[in-house]
Amino acid sequence: MAQPSPPASPTPPPPSRLASRYRAYRLPAFVLAAALLAAVGVATVAGLRSFANSAEWVEHSYQVIAEIESTLAATRTVESSARGYRLTDRPALHAEYLASIPAALNHSSELIALTRDNPRQHRLARDVERRVRMRLAEIDRLLEMHMRDPQQARLSSQTSHGAEQMRALTAVADAMREYERALLSARDARTERNATLLTALVIGGLLLALGLLALLMLNLWQENKRSRALERESRQALAELEASAAERQRLTERHRSLSHYAGLLQSCQTLQEAMDMTAHVIADLIPEFGGRCYILRASQNLAETAARFGREAIASADLLHPDDCWALRRGRTHRSQAHDGGVRCAHLARAEAGADSGGDPRWSLCVPLMAQNTSLGLLCLSGERPPREADLALIQSIAEQLSLAVVNLQLRETLRVQSLRDPLTGLFNRRYLEENLQRELLRCQRRKLPLSVLMLDVDHFKRFNDTHGHAAGDALLARVGQLMQELVRNEDIACRYGGEEFTIVLPEADAAAAMQRAEQIRAAIAATTIVHLRQTFGPATCSIGLATSVGDRDTPQQLLQAADAALYRAKAEGRDRVVDANTPAAADA
């Protein structure tokens, strides 16, 4: 029996027929790929809209959290400013306190507006505003009490409910913050699920569509690849060229602004003016950085904020001790950043929990203002991104020019004070009196207001000087000058007229008020003793002559002569008394 023959293998179709078959599949494949891409596009648009909506709610939650933090921070700022004013009585702190109250109220009102979509958060936001107002009212009550009776205000502050109010406010704010974070977590989870689904749909559709398109566009892929590479290279070269031109332009503008700044510094009249201009220049040239300009006090024990610029990424103290800043300690620039192990100065705010592990990108830079090996102040800057070398060089140049300007202004102010002040008593000198008495007298005459002049002479000063020596006499005169500075108003002019004779100008003070002030000064001098070379001298007495101008015909010379004549009457009537030039002499009476 014959064996069956094996089956014949199929014969492949000729190339022309194969190409024709593939050509027949091109249109359906293209249509299918287009449909897939359209579906992917629709799904992508829908997903993007969903993501945009989720992002809006996430942004809304972050705004709510930020407003909570801002409300607490603004309330603490009001509390800190009020406490500082109660401790120091500095007008600047009182002005800062008044300026910070609207911020606290505005932030709490903004928090209410942001939570209108959530009844629970809206109710808590109203509670926050109510507690903020309660805390501000308590602070205002203590401040008003301080203005009336500082001792009573100090006692009342120890028993006030401020701490409890602040803890209650913080507790409500924490509850809002935790709830908002819970909303964030839920939204993040929902967004993650939607993102996973959309990613799967997009990736699946794209892979299938790209597979189909790869079969159709295989011949064009290499050419397109080469074209894209050339386009990328051209775009990169153009971007580098534009960046180089922009950097050159920026450096040119910086050099021009720096030269202009150096010229303006030479025209500044006060330290505050120089500091304000420096803050403006830094904010204009490097707007992404924020910080402060500090000036060291003459005692070199404290540096106080003179100007601010930008938004501080790391808050710095308003007042700092030189030992709290590494730059002032070492006399050289100090930079710190969490990820490179930099040591942060003590006057800067502490890093948040977990930030020291390297996740905190913020940095700080302290540049001392030095001239002639003397510390004058400090430039403190901070930012969210690392500074460029050009930025550091610019800041260093600004610090050097500012240092020279500060030392020149301080020298100018020292010379000006020396030309107007008596070096022994610290009072104004006779030259200052002659320049300002006429101005104050004319001002009071224009406004139909009185002006009084006191002429004061230390009784038996020559005998005291001859008995105890000139050094003891100088100590007595210095003590008298100190008492006069303590007992006159800010608008009064206390001067050393010459020798043991003093003059006080009391603008807008009538004879009765001037007599009361003169009696206070006379009694204070009569009750004062001095210690010189471990010996106690005194008390000394003084005679005071008083003259008051109530018309518009008096001149400074006439007022001084009238007060001087009243002074001699006081001495003639027995010393240690106050005599009004308008009161008749005892013999005439």
Side-chain angles (χ1 to χ4, degrees):
M1 187 170 178
Q3 298 291 332
S5 61
S9 60
T11 305
S16 58
R17 292 177 58 190
L18 185 61
S20 177
R21 184 184 303 174
Y22 286 157
R23 191 178 298 114
Y25 292 143
R26 287 177 183 173
L27 181 59
F30 180 78
V31 172
L32 179 59
L36 288 172
L37 291 176
V40 169
V42 171
T44 302
V45 171
L48 290 177
R49 289 182 178 177
S50 176
F51 292 155
N53 185 51
S54 298
E56 289 178 359
W57 282 109
V58 169
E59 178 65 22
H60 178 269
S61 294
Y62 281 119
Q63 289 179 355
V64 171
I65 293 173
E67 283 302 324
I68 293 172
E69 299 294 343
S70 299
T71 302
L72 291 176
T75 305
R76 293 191 180 99
T77 299
V78 174
E79 187 179 52
S80 176
S81 301
R83 187 183 300 113
Y85 176 69
R86 293 202 308 271
L87 292 175
T88 64
D89 286 330
R90 289 178 56 199
L93 289 177
H94 186 263
E96 184 177 341
Y97 158 74
L98 295 176
S100 59
I101 291 177
L105 296 176
N106 290 339
H107 284 303
S108 60
S109 300
E110 182 66 20
L111 185 59
I112 293 177
L114 286 173
T115 55
R116 293 188 186 277
D117 60 295
N118 191 315
R120 179 185 182 279
Q121 292 290 78
H122 191 62
R123 183 175 68 257
L124 291 177
R126 289 190 174 278
D127 192 17
V128 167
E129 183 190 38
R130 179 178 64 82
R131 294 182 182 278
V132 168
R133 292 184 179 275
M134 289 174 59
R135 182 60 186 140
L136 293 181
E138 177 66 13
I139 293 173
D140 189 62
R141 182 185 71 80
L142 290 175
L143 200 60
E144 290 181 356
M145 185 180 297
H146 174 76
M147 292 180 178
R148 295 193 304 269
D149 187 351
Q151 183 63 27
Q152 181 64 28
R154 190 176 298 108
L155 294 175
S156 179
S157 65
Q158 296 174 356
T159 59
S160 68
H161 301 287
E164 290 80 358
Q165 292 176 343
M166 202 63 198
R167 281 195 294 271
L169 172 61
T170 304
V172 177
D174 290 341
M176 288 189 68
R177 190 187 300 109
E178 291 303 322
Y179 184 79
E180 203 66 34
R181 287 174 177 169
L183 290 178
L184 273 175
S185 299
R187 290 164 182 164
D188 288 342
R190 184 169 59 254
T191 303
E192 184 66 24
R193 290 194 302 272
N194 293 338
T196 302
L197 178 60
L198 178 62
T199 301
L201 291 174
V202 170
I203 291 177
L206 284 177
L207 287 177
L208 184 56
L210 290 175
L212 294 172
L213 289 175
L215 297 175
L216 299 173
M217 304 181 69
L218 184 60
N219 294 331
L220 296 176
W221 178 74
Q222 292 293 339
E223 186 66 27
N224 287 337
K225 181 180 178 182
R226 287 193 297 269
S227 298
R228 286 195 299 270
L230 291 175
E231 183 181 357
R232 281 197 303 270
E233 292 176 1
S234 300
R235 189 182 297 114
Q236 183 178 359
L238 181 61
E240 291 176 355
L241 183 62
E242 291 178 351
S244 177
E247 184 65 19
R248 285 198 301 270
Q249 179 66 24
R250 194 166 73 93
L251 290 177
T252 302
E253 183 65 22
R254 279 189 173 184
H255 286 306
R256 187 193 66 79
S257 299
L258 197 58
S259 300
H260 184 61
Y261 163 72
L264 290 177
L265 271 182
Q266 303 304 317
S267 303
C268 288
Q269 299 295 323
T270 63
L271 281 175
Q272 188 60 50
E273 187 179 15
M275 290 296 171
D276 291 339
M277 187 176 63
T278 300
H280 175 74
V281 167
I282 296 178
D284 184 48
L285 295 180
I286 322 176
E288 61 270 25
F289 299 164
R292 304 173 182 233
C293 303
Y294 289 93
I295 281 292
L296 268 172
R297 293 180 178 176
S299 59
Q300 294 284 306
N301 64 340
L302 275 180
E304 56 187 350
T305 301
R308 301 184 183 184
F309 52 88
R311 186 183 67 84
E312 293 177 307
I314 305 175
S316 181
D318 291 330
L319 288 173
L320 64 90
H321 193 277
D323 289 342
D324 292 338
C325 180
W326 288 104
L328 290 176
R329 280 195 198 181
R330 305 166 64 203
R332 54 188 296 185
T333 300
H334 179 75
R335 176 181 170 186
S336 66
Q337 192 165 2
H339 67 75
D340 61 6
V343 179
R344 187 171 290 178
C345 295
H347 61 89
L348 297 172
R350 297 292 90 193
E352 298 177 358
D356 289 335
S357 60
D360 189 358
R362 299 177 301 168
W363 61 274
S364 64
L365 183 71
C366 294
V367 184
L369 303 180
M370 304 284 294
Q372 301 173 357
N373 293 325
T374 302
S375 296
L376 305 171
L378 178 71
L379 283 183
C380 179
L381 302 94
S382 60
E384 299 289 347
R385 65 162 182 81
R388 297 184 292 266
E389 291 299 325
D391 297 333
L392 296 177
L394 176 66
I395 294 169
Q396 190 66 41
S397 179
I398 289 175
E400 291 173 359
Q401 297 187 30
L402 180 60
S403 299
L404 294 177
V406 168
V407 75
N408 289 334
L409 287 170
Q410 288 180 343
L411 178 59
R412 187 188 307 172
E413 179 66 15
T414 300
L415 295 176
R416 188 187 72 83
V417 170
Q418 288 178 353
S419 68
L420 299 177
R421 294 277 185 179
D422 175 60
L424 176 62
T425 62
L427 302 176
F428 291 112
N429 55 26
R430 186 167 180 172
R431 172 187 172 190
Y432 185 88
L433 171 68
E434 293 171 351
E435 292 178 356
N436 289 271
L437 175 56
Q438 184 171 6
R439 185 190 70 226
E440 291 295 329
L441 181 59
L442 291 176
R443 183 180 65 84
C444 290
Q445 288 175 349
R446 285 196 305 269
R447 302 171 76 175
K448 306 299 181 183
L449 296 171
L451 181 141
S452 298
V453 174
L454 305 180
M455 293 290 286
L456 182 150
D457 187 271
V458 179
D459 295 332
H460 302 298
F461 180 74
K462 185 177 184 304
R463 184 171 64 192
F464 182 91
N465 219 17
D466 294 339
T467 303
H468 304 293
H470 291 289
D474 289 346
L476 176 61
L477 292 178
R479 180 56 181 161
V480 170
Q482 180 183 359
L483 287 173
M484 292 175 61
Q485 287 180 329
E486 294 173 355
L487 295 175
V488 299
R489 303 170 300 177
N490 290 334
E491 61 268 25
D492 296 339
I493 303 173
C495 307
R496 184 182 181 188
Y497 197 71
E500 70 274 17
E501 195 169 358
F502 300 87
T503 305
I504 304 176
V505 179
L506 305 172
E508 303 180 16
D510 56 16
M515 178 63 73
Q516 182 180 4
R517 184 62 52 84
E519 284 292 345
Q520 291 176 352
I521 295 173
R522 183 200 62 78
I525 293 175
T528 300
T529 60
I530 62 171
V531 177
H532 178 69
L533 297 179
R534 299 183 180 179
Q535 294 184 9
T536 302
F537 302 104
T541 61
C542 68
S543 302
I544 302 177
L546 185 157
T548 302
S549 170
V550 293
D552 56 0
R553 296 183 179 180
D554 293 324
T555 65
Q557 293 75 17
Q558 291 172 342
L559 269 178
L560 291 173
Q561 290 173 2
D564 196 46
L567 171 62
Y568 280 102
R569 281 176 50 195
K571 286 183 172 296
E573 293 177 7
R575 294 184 171 84
D576 192 19
R577 65 194 61 217
V578 180
V579 171
D580 189 348
N582 297 324
T583 302
D588 296 338

